[in-house]
Amino acid sequence: MTGPDDAFDDAFDVAATAPCASADDTGADDAFDFAAGATGGPRVLWELTARIRLHSDTHIGSADDASRTAADIAPLDRDPVTGAPRLRATTQAGLLRHHLLRRLGEERAPAAAELFGEAAPRSAEDGSGASVPSALDIDDAVAELPAEAGVTVRAGNRVDPGSGAAAPGATWRMETLPAGTAFTLTLRLHVADGRSEGRMLALAALAADGLTGTGTGAGVSIGARTARGYGAAACEGWHARRHDLAAPQGWARFYAVTWAQRRDRAHRAVAERCRSHSGAHGRSLTELLGAHMGTDPALAAAVGADYRRTVADYGTDDRRRDELALTLHLAERPTDALLAPAGGAADDGTHTRRPGLLLVGEAPGLDTLGEVDRAHLRRPAVGGDGAVQWRPTLGDTALFALFKRMSRRLVRDISGESGAAAGEWSHDSPARRLHARWWGGDADSRSAPRASAVRLRQAAELTGGTPQRTTRVTIDALFGDSVDASLLTDDVHAGGSAEVVLDVPDPDDAVRGLLALIVRELRTVPMDAVGGGTGAGHGRVTVSRAVLTRCRPGAEPAPVDLVAAVEDPAGADRAAAEPWLAALRAALVPEAGRRGGADP
């Protein structure tokens, strides 16, 4: 097993005191006679290099609106010289700053300005309003595509939240990077005279912890449509290198090599670490730096005290968030599975689920082109061994639309507004405001579009099941016979299961109650389905596991089993969920809440 001391083996270099054996440093010693020490600029410079890998489709929009093609396909951002897809430095800085600000909270937010700088207020007319430059310098990162997949054009159709059908004309097409794409990010931390090196290093490490991975629910997602599971990423390894620019040797080792040589040196080091220290994957930069300081007395003496103090002061994550982990099955649980058998205990539903068919359509592949009209969606996925495989999915847009549609129906039913037409749903309705807050709202003449707060952590991959080819004909509605030349062949997916996680930032009891009711609907006899062909019985899903975990600052995670809450009225999980249901009813029907009305 890889130990903490091994995490930076051959990848962490205090260049001011340790010799550099890289061939890229040839000629550095010859420059000592010309380097009398730094006379300006930073006193210490840290090179931090990370290798991250995408775990779902990702769209990083172009900075040039003119690059949108005549076919109205949203393009990826590309290097203007080479044309390779890239992750811009400004995008990286924005993601890291956003993560650090949310982690610190409002009271400690000014610390982020020490690292990322701060613009002068427009009203300032004296020197007190001068801008604070950023201490981080970041390079653009070029995408490294996997051999098994390349840039593709994803096409989709917006799903109407009321009817569950595709909205006419509401289509979108955009270039996407596949899962398995890697980026090597390069950050340089400049520490000027008079600033605490340990404090600045700790703030940079806390910001960089957002790259550790979205699997924890606390990492950053990259690009567009992140609420639908796009842009999931995880860090595979770090390389850190310290340059003491106040010493001639440190100054020469940084400035006597070209930018390309420094970049290649860092890229090779982090790639080697990813290959040789796979046990350290997923560890945060704060943990790796802290572990290395425990084995490097010189570095610990120089920066250790301030580093540890800053991590202790700012390391606590102030975000309140919930996560709902679901195991969904592509199957239907019939009504008789909910009833206790005559001879004893109630059936758990494991052997009474009836596998169903799913079709989230996409164009057929080259191997089936001309044989089928539509094929079920398959996307690249990163396996446990790091290999990229093509796997069937539940569909990101379709699955999110399912949850959104169920939420909309539930809040309208509880509030008593289910009888009103969709176009008559009042803007002042508490039900509409609650639904838009968590699941997003569409733009109209009275309001701007609102983003969803609930987020699908990653596109759901289907495991198990089997592909199946179906052939059908169109039946004439008037005469009841088949329509000539209307034969359709589809490649669908039958059966299987998927692990799904919903992240809820800054939750309250009302949204917890709403999620509990969504689980109840999926556990019993679902009225909604996902994908195409739902009128013929396709796309039925049922849940076998649903755990809502509450994460609060300074407290241990508190899980509640919502399946047990649904099925055991006398259990502790039902007791934990009952206040959430009362809060949901009070939010949707304020009068009933004041009167102490019954829970939904």
Side-chain angles (χ1 to χ4, degrees), residues 202-214:
L203 291 174
L206 291 172
D209 283 353
L211 301 172
T212 300
T214 52

Side-chain angles (χ1 to χ4, degrees), residues 305-316:
D306 286 339
Y307 178 86
R308 288 190 292 270
R309 185 184 307 112
T310 304
V311 170
D313 291 342
Y314 297 101
T316 302

Side-chain angles (χ1 to χ4, degrees), residues 202-438:
L203 291 174
L206 291 172
D209 283 353
L211 301 172
T212 300
T214 52
T216 62
V220 299
S221 298
I222 301 172
R225 301 181 65 82
T226 54
R228 270 65 171 172
Y230 279 49
C235 182
E236 294 186 334
W238 281 98
H239 167 264
R241 187 178 181 90
R242 180 180 184 268
H243 301 275
D244 185 355
L245 302 183
Q249 185 184 36
W251 189 94
R253 291 191 184 280
F254 182 76
Y255 287 110
V257 295
T258 67
W259 174 86
Q261 289 174 324
R262 288 196 301 268
R263 178 200 59 193
D264 293 342
R265 177 179 60 194
H267 284 206
R268 285 198 304 270
V270 74
E272 177 61 28
R273 179 179 175 276
C274 290
R275 287 191 296 267
S276 59
H277 299 289
S278 58
H281 287 187
R283 297 187 66 192
S284 67
L285 183 58
T286 53
E287 293 175 333
L288 296 174
L289 285 170
H292 186 78
M293 288 182 189
T295 61
D296 190 333
L299 182 63
V303 303
D306 286 339
Y307 178 86
R308 288 190 292 270
R309 185 184 307 112
T310 304
V311 170
D313 291 342
Y314 297 101
T316 302
D317 194 337
D318 274 356
R319 285 172 290 184
R320 295 173 54 255
R321 60 182 181 85
D322 287 358
E323 63 178 47
L324 176 60
L326 304 166
T327 300
L328 297 179
H329 299 269
L330 183 54
E332 185 173 3
R333 194 174 184 218
T335 305
D336 55 8
L338 306 176
L339 305 176
D347 178 27
D348 65 358
T350 56
H351 66 276
T352 56
R353 288 192 295 265
R354 298 172 182 169
L357 302 179
L358 176 65
L359 178 63
V360 179
E362 69 169 354
L366 294 177
D367 55 336
T368 59
L369 192 63
E371 298 179 8
V372 298
D373 299 286
R374 293 182 302 176
H376 178 65
L377 180 65
R378 299 174 65 87
R379 299 303 303 153
V382 181
D385 57 355
V388 177
Q389 302 172 352
W390 286 79
R391 296 177 181 171
T393 73
L394 269 177
D396 35 60
T397 300
L399 182 61
F400 191 86
L402 171 68
F403 293 128
K404 185 174 182 177
R405 186 164 66 255
M406 294 175 68
S407 167
R408 185 177 184 274
R409 175 170 54 80
L410 287 167
V411 299
R412 283 169 62 88
D413 288 347
I414 297 171
S415 64
E417 301 174 10
S418 57
E424 300 174 357
W425 201 6
S426 170
H427 284 267
D428 299 328
S429 164
R432 181 166 186 163
R433 290 199 301 268
L434 184 143
H435 177 73
R437 175 188 176 188
W438 297 110

